Amino acid sequence: MKFVYSPAYLVNLGPHVFPIAKYRMIYERLRQQELVPEAAFESPQPATREQLLRVHTPEYLADLEQLRFTERTAYSELPLTHEVVAMFRLAAGGTIRAAALALEEGAAVHIGGGFHHAFADKAEGFCYINDLALGVRECQALGRIKRAMVIDCDLHQGNGTARIFAGDEAVFTFSIHQDDLYPVKQQSDLDIALPNHVQDDEYLGLLRTHIPRTLDEFRPELILYQAGADPYRDDQLGDLSLTIAGLRRRDELIFTLAKARNIPLAVTLGGGYAYNTDDTVAIHVNTCSAAMQVWGSP
């Protein structure tokens, strides 16, 4: 299997809770521990304007291109610079590439992406471009799939993704998230809104109850899996109580269910804001390791 990554993901966000250095740290940890050979990594290409327009409105893209601070860009909570916008275009290309690789090889991991709060016409919550939606739309536009499913296991609801695909019977959106927390919720096809302090066993039990049934009923031809690190019990932005071991079990469960049904799966490494960034990195590295364990080493 392949991993998509670029050192250009490390951009200057200034003082910010988002640990942008985590992408480089994940890559370095995978190489230092000899978990993934260098030949298994691919560098992405930026999403083209044609690809971006499959999800985002021309007016919003013009604001991004011209660095205009408008009500469409104001709620990103990120700097609006050429460097940051270029990173988001590159990360969108990374998820598009991971989706294509998953269709070719069964699974792929994007060490990046998962910017699920971006709407078609506006930024929100550290997200300018919704790479998950772009990955789905690109595969559909090329005729490689008809039906796709987004499995979002981030701390926060994938509100932008839910809104983008609302009413689209070819895309099933699933989100399991803390209820009493940002963002203002949109309606996914299936939302599991969790009370505070949910622990490993309850969380995993809910996945075992809902994911197999949904996969069997909807029968997607591709899964985009948002493997958020932020349900972790020591995350700064939330109040769920999953352990590092529990999050690995979550990943193994999702991967095993997809592989047993021969459904290609592309992973994005979503949110993670642990007080100790090494914990966030460990969670993401475990996701990569679990993918290799289930889908086969590169």
Side-chain angles (χ1 to χ4, degrees):
M1 61 180 292
K2 296 288 187 179
F3 290 76
V4 181
Y5 165 74
S6 173
Y9 292 164
L10 182 58
V11 296
N12 182 15
L13 299 182
H16 203 283
V17 70
F18 188 92
I20 194 72
K22 74 174 185 176
Y23 303 124
R24 184 198 65 212
M25 296 169 69
I26 296 162
Y27 166 77
E28 291 176 348
R29 191 78 54 85
L30 291 171
R31 294 296 297 122
Q32 289 165 359
Q33 296 181 5
E34 299 183 348
L35 292 172
V36 182
E38 187 62 38
F41 289 95
E42 284 199 12
S43 297
Q45 296 296 315
T48 66
R49 183 171 179 79
E50 179 183 9
Q51 290 169 331
L52 294 170
L53 284 168
R54 293 195 176 113
V55 169
H56 294 289
T57 64
E59 296 79 10
Y60 174 55
L61 291 178
D63 285 349
L64 291 181
E65 291 162 359
Q66 298 173 39
L67 307 182
R68 292 196 297 243
F69 190 75
T70 69
E71 60 182 29
R72 288 184 286 259
T73 59
Y75 297 100
S76 71
E77 303 177 59
L78 291 174
L80 184 56
T81 66
H82 287 296
E83 179 190 35
V84 171
V85 172
M87 183 276 285
F88 273 89
R89 284 190 60 195
L90 186 62
T95 298
I96 288 170
R97 182 57 183 152
L101 287 166
L103 291 173
E104 294 165 12
E105 302 191 13
V109 177
H110 181 197
I111 302 175
F115 298 114
H116 59 168
H117 298 309
F119 287 68
D121 58 353
K122 65 175 182 175
E124 215 181 85
F126 312 162
C127 302
Y128 279 124
I129 294 172
N130 195 310
D131 56 294
L132 294 159
L134 280 163
V136 170
R137 289 298 190 220
E138 178 71 4
C139 291
Q140 290 176 326
L142 296 177
R144 303 191 69 179
I145 63 167
K146 292 182 180 179
R147 297 183 311 283
M149 181 174 176
V150 179
I151 297 178
D152 194 322
C153 293
D154 201 89
L155 171 72
H156 307 91
Q157 192 213 32
N159 60 330
T161 310
R163 183 63 176 269
I164 287 167
F165 291 124
D168 186 340
E169 295 183 357
V171 182
F172 192 101
T173 52
F174 170 94
S175 182
I176 182 169
H177 52 266
Q178 184 179 334
D179 187 30
D180 183 19
L181 190 68
Y182 170 90
V184 175
K185 307 300 188 288
Q186 301 292 320
Q187 185 173 344
S188 308
D189 291 294
L190 177 55
D191 283 301
I192 300 178
L194 301 172
N196 295 1
H197 311 304
V198 163
Q199 299 183 15
D200 293 345
D201 288 346
E202 182 178 356
Y203 187 100
L204 293 167
L206 288 165
L207 291 181
R208 291 190 189 99
T209 296
H210 293 285
I211 295 293
R213 173 179 54 80
T214 303
L215 291 176
D216 292 339
E217 291 177 357
F218 184 70
R219 300 175 62 191
E221 298 162 288
L222 173 68
I223 295 169
L224 271 289
Y225 172 43
Q226 164 79 328
D230 43 7
Y232 178 49
R233 63 187 179 188
D234 287 331
D235 195 89
Q236 298 178 69
L237 300 187
D239 293 292
L240 297 184
S241 298
L242 275 71
T243 65
I244 291 177
L247 287 164
R248 180 175 180 122
R249 289 165 59 199
R250 172 202 70 179
D251 296 334
E252 291 171 347
L253 174 63
I254 298 295
F255 297 153
T256 300
L257 291 171
K259 187 173 184 183
R261 291 160 174 78
N262 295 314
I263 304 171
L265 182 146
V267 183
T268 57
L269 300 183
Y273 315 93
Y275 288 100
N276 182 347
T277 299
D278 281 344
D279 288 347
T280 295
V281 172
I283 293 164
H284 287 317
V285 168
N286 278 347
T287 301
C288 298
S289 175
M292 290 186 293
Q293 175 184 315
V294 173
W295 293 89
S297 297

